[in-house]
C-alpha cells in the first residue's frame, strides 16, 4: 500500500480515487439510502400488520367466547392467515373451545398447528403443556410424554411434572407418578400448584 507523506499527495490521491471510483461510490450511497428507506417502510408495514392482527385476534377471541355463529370458521381462517403469536393464541383458544365440547381430536389438531407456528420458547411450552393434557384425555400416553419433553424453562417445571405424573399414573406406573409429583414439589411451584401436587401424592399413599 502506498504511503503519502505530504498533504498535497494525499489530496491528489483522493482526487484520483474519486475520479476512478466516483460512480461506484454514488451508486453505493444511493443503494444505502434506498435500503434505509426501504427498511423503514418495511418496519412501518410490519407494525401496521401486527396492529391489524392484534385487532383481528381480539375480535376473533371475543366471537369464540360469545359462541357466535361462524366463530369457528372465522378462527380457522385467522389462524391460517397469521403465522405469528396471534395465530398461535387463536389456535389455543379454538382448542379450548373443542375441549369444552369434549372433541379432543379437533383440540389436538389445533394445538399441533399452534406447535408448528410458535417461535417463542415460553409460548411453545404453554402449547406443549396443553397438548399433553389433551393427549392424556385421548389416552395417547406415550405421545403425551414425548410432548412434555418439549416443555422448556424452569418456570414450567412444576406443571410439566404434574402432567407427567398424571400420564404415568394412567399408564399404571404409580412409582413413576410419585417421583414426578415429588419432583414438581421440589421445583418451587405456586401455592395452588403445590397444594395440588401434595393432594395427588397423598392419594397415592392412601
Amino acid at each position: 500500500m502506498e504511503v503519502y507523506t505530504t498533504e498535497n499527495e494525499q489530496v491528489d490521491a483522493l482526487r484520483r480515487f474519486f475520479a476512478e471510483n466516483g460512480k461506484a461510490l454514488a451508486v453505493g450511497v444511493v443503494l444505502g439510502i434506498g435500503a434505509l428507506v426501504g427498511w423503514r417502510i418495511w418496519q412501518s408495514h410490519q407494525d401496521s400488520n401486527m396492529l391489524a392482527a392484534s385487532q383481528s385476534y381480539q375480535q376473533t377471541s371475543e366471537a369464540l367466547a360469545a359462541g357466535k355463529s361462524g366463530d369457528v370458521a372465522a378462527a380457522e381462517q385467522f389462524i391460517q392467515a397469521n403465522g405469528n403469536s396471534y395465530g398461535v393464541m387463536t389456535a389455543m383458544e379454538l382448542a379450548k373451545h373443542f375441549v369444552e365440547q369434549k372433541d379432543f381430536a379437533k383440540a389436538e389438531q389445533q394445538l399441533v398447528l399452534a406447535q408448528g407456528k410458535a417461535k417463542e420458547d415460553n409460548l411453545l411450552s404453554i402449547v406443549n403443556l396443553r397438548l399433553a393434557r389433551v393427549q392424556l384425555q385421548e389416552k395417547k400416553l406415550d405421545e403425551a410424554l414425548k410432548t412434555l419433553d418439549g416443555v422448556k424453562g424452569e418456570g414450567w417445571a412444576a406443571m410439566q411434572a404434574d402432567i407427567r405424573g398424571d400420564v404415568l399414573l394412567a399408564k399404571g406406573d404409580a412409582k413413576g407418578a410419585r417421583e414426578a409429583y415429588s419432583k414438581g414439589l421440589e421445583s418451587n411451584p405456586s401455592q395452588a400448584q403445590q397444594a395440588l401436587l401434595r393432594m395427588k401424592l397423598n392419594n397415592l399413599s392412601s
Side-chain angles (χ1 to χ4, degrees), residues 189-203:
S190 66
Q191 288 187 345
Q193 188 81 54
Q194 186 179 117
L196 181 62
L197 289 166
R198 289 193 184 283
M199 181 185 72
K200 290 181 178 182
L201 276 172
N202 290 337
N203 290 339

Side-chain angles (χ1 to χ4, degrees), residues 51-113:
L51 179 60
S54 174
Q55 293 171 341
S56 296
Y57 165 72
Q58 187 70 26
Q59 293 169 356
T60 304
S61 177
E62 289 173 357
L64 271 177
K68 294 180 180 178
S69 60
D71 54 346
V72 171
E76 289 175 339
Q77 289 176 0
F78 181 84
I79 293 164
Q80 290 296 329
N82 288 273
N84 50 38
S85 296
Y86 292 113
V88 175
M89 290 187 292
T90 303
M92 286 195 291
E93 292 201 26
L94 189 52
K96 180 183 176 184
H97 169 81
F98 287 131
V99 166
E100 290 170 349
Q101 294 186 335
K102 306 297 182 185
D103 193 338
F104 298 111
K106 285 187 178 179
E108 182 183 12
Q109 288 175 0
Q110 291 302 320
L111 290 169
V112 168
L113 190 59

Side-chain angles (χ1 to χ4, degrees), residues 30-152:
V30 169
L31 288 176
I33 293 172
L36 180 59
V37 172
W39 165 255
R40 288 181 177 172
I41 292 172
W42 180 85
Q43 193 69 36
S44 176
H45 179 67
Q46 290 294 102
D47 291 343
S48 298
N49 284 347
M50 289 303 289
L51 179 60
S54 174
Q55 293 171 341
S56 296
Y57 165 72
Q58 187 70 26
Q59 293 169 356
T60 304
S61 177
E62 289 173 357
L64 271 177
K68 294 180 180 178
S69 60
D71 54 346
V72 171
E76 289 175 339
Q77 289 176 0
F78 181 84
I79 293 164
Q80 290 296 329
N82 288 273
N84 50 38
S85 296
Y86 292 113
V88 175
M89 290 187 292
T90 303
M92 286 195 291
E93 292 201 26
L94 189 52
K96 180 183 176 184
H97 169 81
F98 287 131
V99 166
E100 290 170 349
Q101 294 186 335
K102 306 297 182 185
D103 193 338
F104 298 111
K106 285 187 178 179
E108 182 183 12
Q109 288 175 0
Q110 291 302 320
L111 290 169
V112 168
L113 190 59
Q115 190 183 50
K117 290 176 177 285
K119 299 177 179 65
E120 199 270 323
D121 287 344
N122 281 320
L123 190 56
L124 179 57
S125 290
I126 295 171
V127 171
N128 283 329
L129 287 168
R130 293 190 180 186
L131 178 57
R133 286 197 185 100
V134 168
Q135 289 169 332
L136 171 59
Q137 291 292 329
E138 295 180 289
K139 307 299 181 187
K140 295 181 177 180
L141 305 180
D142 290 331
E143 288 184 33
L145 290 175
K146 184 177 180 180
T147 298
L148 287 170
D149 289 338
V151 177
K152 308 297 181 184

